[in-house]
Amino acid sequence: MTLRKGEKTTISIQEHMAIDVCPGPIKPIKQISDYFPRFPRGLPAAVGRSGALRPAVSQPSVGPTETPREDDEDVDQLFGAYGTTPAPPPAKCPPAEEAVDPEGYESDDCTALGTLDFSLLYDQENNALHCTINKAKGLKPMDHNGLADPYVKLHLLPGASKANKLRTKTLRNTLNPTWNETLTYYGITDEDMIRKTLRISVCDEDKFRHNEFIGETRIPLKKLKPNQTKNFSICLEKQLPIDKTEDKSLEERGRILISLKYSSQKQGLLVGIIRCAHLAAMDANGYSDPYVKTYLKPDEDKKSKHKTAVKKKTLNPEFNEEFCYEIKHGDLAKKTLEVTVWDYDIGKSNDFIGGVVLGINAKGERLKHWFDCLKNKDKKIERWHTLTNELPGAVLSD
């Protein structure tokens, strides 16, 4: 057909329908997942065969005769169909980063839980362990405001209980608290310093629910030298289990500090009941209401009984009371001093906590204490003794 200049070509509808508009075989339409593959959580973007990281989103092909792209093959190899089954990574591929357990804080406990500065001093002469809690830094936030209400509590292991728990005051809304408090354990012997461990825990106080644990550290007391202060700055750790199979000190009923002195002026034995430590809890509230009774036996006239005042709701009572038994110095070798600790109860029988017997027939520290008293007139001698759960009367009858 010949067209004149300026005329437009016209095509009939029949001619239009007869035109072959299909350039080749029909190919399947790509799905959206081909352009945005579903990677497994935590894995990096698609890795090509060359080992270099490639962007996860690939550009669609537009050429009708183009062969399948290497990107698609790589994605299929790494993640399988639709990214559900990961395949082994290529040999040159760097390892994927491991996911961090938010409850474990394995990456850096110092960063996650904080650090604690404190010092320890074992006063060997007075059988005391002084624990000075200075400050903490970078504590883990525990409250909704991103802060915490921290305090520090101490336990002696083995034998963690209310009897040997000490704690600082609580400081409000801070992650960097400064306490500068000294907490003291009394009745600590050289044997304790060898076999016991001090557990120091930092906790967050909550008024309307249970207090929350932040972190802890444990110091074997054998690391300390007598009468020398040792300073510590330690990262807090996660809570460690307590091995109760080694908790032999649970058999103990507590300790008592007794002073003995034979007074030439008063012609008698002065017995001082100074204090008790780590007593066994006898009441439902986890405490006791302790008092101490002393007897000098044999007691034919039944007049040797002395009793201290009752100290309410405590496992570490301080009495500072002294009793005098009028007796000749030469007769003391035939006598035995019984000291018993009791829990006072209203309306029912008092509970026996523990006792100790000093005299010629005693053993170990109890015998040594009595012998030193007889040997050194007019000299006050103080000693700590371990309470046993046997009534002294039963001991004397054996």
Side-chain angles (χ1 to χ4, degrees):
M1 182 174 62
T2 303
L3 294 178
R4 296 179 182 178
K5 189 176 182 179
E7 291 183 351
K8 296 181 179 180
T9 303
T10 58
I11 301 175
S12 64
I13 188 65
Q14 291 82 3
E15 292 175 323
H16 178 75
M17 295 299 293
I19 295 175
D20 185 6
V21 295
C22 182
I26 298 176
K27 298 180 67 176
I29 300 174
K30 287 185 174 290
Q31 300 186 15
I32 189 65
S33 60
D34 292 330
Y35 303 107
F36 302 97
R38 298 169 59 188
F39 300 122
R41 183 177 299 177
L43 290 176
V47 180
R49 291 177 179 174
S50 63
L53 289 174
R54 298 182 178 178
V57 180
S58 57
Q59 297 297 327
S61 61
V62 292
T65 58
E66 187 176 346
T67 58
R69 296 170 293 110
E70 290 186 0
D71 285 3
D72 294 339
E73 295 175 359
D74 293 336
V75 169
D76 290 339
Q77 289 180 3
L78 285 171
F79 307 109
Y82 305 105
T84 56
T85 309
K92 296 183 180 180
C93 175
E97 183 180 355
E98 295 182 1
V100 178
D101 180 9
E103 297 297 325
Y105 312 110
E106 290 290 345
S107 59
D108 189 353
D109 279 351
C110 285
T111 302
L113 303 178
T115 60
L116 182 66
D117 294 351
F118 59 96
S119 64
L120 302 177
L121 170 63
Y122 173 47
D123 184 352
Q124 190 175 33
E125 182 180 354
N126 296 309
N127 296 103
L129 176 65
H130 302 289
C131 313
T132 301
I133 308 299
N134 297 319
K135 61 183 179 179
K137 294 183 292 185
L139 294 180
K140 177 186 174 185
M142 303 299 290
D143 299 335
H144 295 301
N145 60 3
L147 299 173
D149 302 321
Y151 66 93
V152 178
K153 63 179 180 179
L154 310 180
H155 282 112
L156 281 177
L157 303 176
S161 67
K162 286 186 178 180
N164 62 33
K165 183 182 79 172
L166 301 176
R167 62 162 287 175
T168 67
K169 62 186 177 183
T170 301
L171 300 182
R172 303 291 177 185
N173 297 322
T174 178
L175 300 180
N176 301 286
T178 299
W179 290 281
N180 290 329
E181 281 190 55
T182 298
L183 308 174
T184 301
Y185 281 106
Y186 295 98
I188 301 299
T189 63
D190 291 341
E191 181 185 355
D192 292 329
M193 296 301 294
I194 295 174
R195 69 184 185 92
K196 286 187 177 289
T197 296
L198 179 65
R199 178 190 181 194
I200 306 177
S201 307
V202 181
C203 300
D204 171 61
E205 183 177 292
D206 282 317
K207 291 183 178 180
F208 304 107
R209 54 181 180 174
H210 292 298
N211 297 341
E212 296 179 290
F213 175 84
I214 297 178
E216 72 170 37
T217 186
R218 298 187 185 185
I219 306 296
L221 296 185
K222 61 184 177 182
K223 289 186 176 182
L224 304 180
K225 295 181 180 180
N227 306 314
Q228 293 185 19
T229 301
K230 186 168 184 178
N231 297 308
F232 297 86
S233 182
I234 295 183
C235 295
L236 297 175
E237 302 176 272
K238 296 179 296 181
Q239 193 165 15
L240 301 173
I242 298 175
D243 188 0
K244 294 187 177 180
T245 60
E246 299 180 359
D247 201 353
K248 297 179 181 178
S249 70
L250 289 177
E251 301 171 5
E252 296 182 2
R253 311 292 285 181
R255 310 271 176 91
I256 185 169
L257 179 59
I258 301 172
S259 69
L260 297 179
K261 174 185 174 181
Y262 185 81
S263 173
S264 301
Q265 181 181 1
K266 295 184 178 181
Q267 290 292 302
L269 176 67
L270 302 181
V271 178
I273 304 299
I274 301 172
R275 67 189 311 148
C276 295
H278 322 324
L279 294 180
M282 307 302 289
D283 295 337
N285 60 7
Y287 294 96
S288 294
D289 301 321
Y291 67 95
V292 179
K293 292 193 296 185
T294 64
Y295 293 89
L296 191 63
K297 293 188 175 182
D299 181 20
E300 298 175 356
D301 298 331
K302 306 292 183 182
K303 295 181 179 180
S304 71
K305 175 182 173 181
H306 289 286
K307 186 171 71 172
T308 69
V310 176
K311 302 296 180 180
K312 294 290 186 179
K313 197 179 178 183
T314 178
L315 300 176
N316 298 279
E318 190 169 351
F319 298 99
N320 290 319
E321 296 189 38
E322 189 174 73
F323 310 115
C324 180
Y325 292 100
E326 295 183 3
I327 186 174
K328 295 179 180 179
H329 182 266
D331 294 337
L332 275 180
K334 305 173 186 178
K335 296 289 186 176
T336 299
L337 180 66
E338 288 184 13
V339 181
T340 55
V341 183
W342 298 79
D343 169 54
Y344 177 75
D345 286 319
I346 300 176
K348 58 179 181 178
S349 299
N350 298 332
D351 297 319
F352 175 71
I353 297 178
V356 63
V357 177
L358 307 179
I360 292 298
N361 296 322
K363 296 179 180 180
E365 283 294 320
R366 294 168 294 168
L367 173 61
K368 189 175 186 299
H369 193 184
W370 189 255
F371 179 76
D372 289 344
C373 172
L374 298 182
K375 184 179 178 181
N376 300 280
K377 285 185 179 181
D378 300 312
K379 181 180 180 181
K380 179 183 289 188
I381 300 174
E382 295 182 359
R383 295 279 168 80
W384 282 94
H385 298 283
T386 299
L387 300 173
T388 64
N389 57 1
E390 294 182 87
L391 281 167
V395 175
L396 293 176
S397 63
D398 292 341

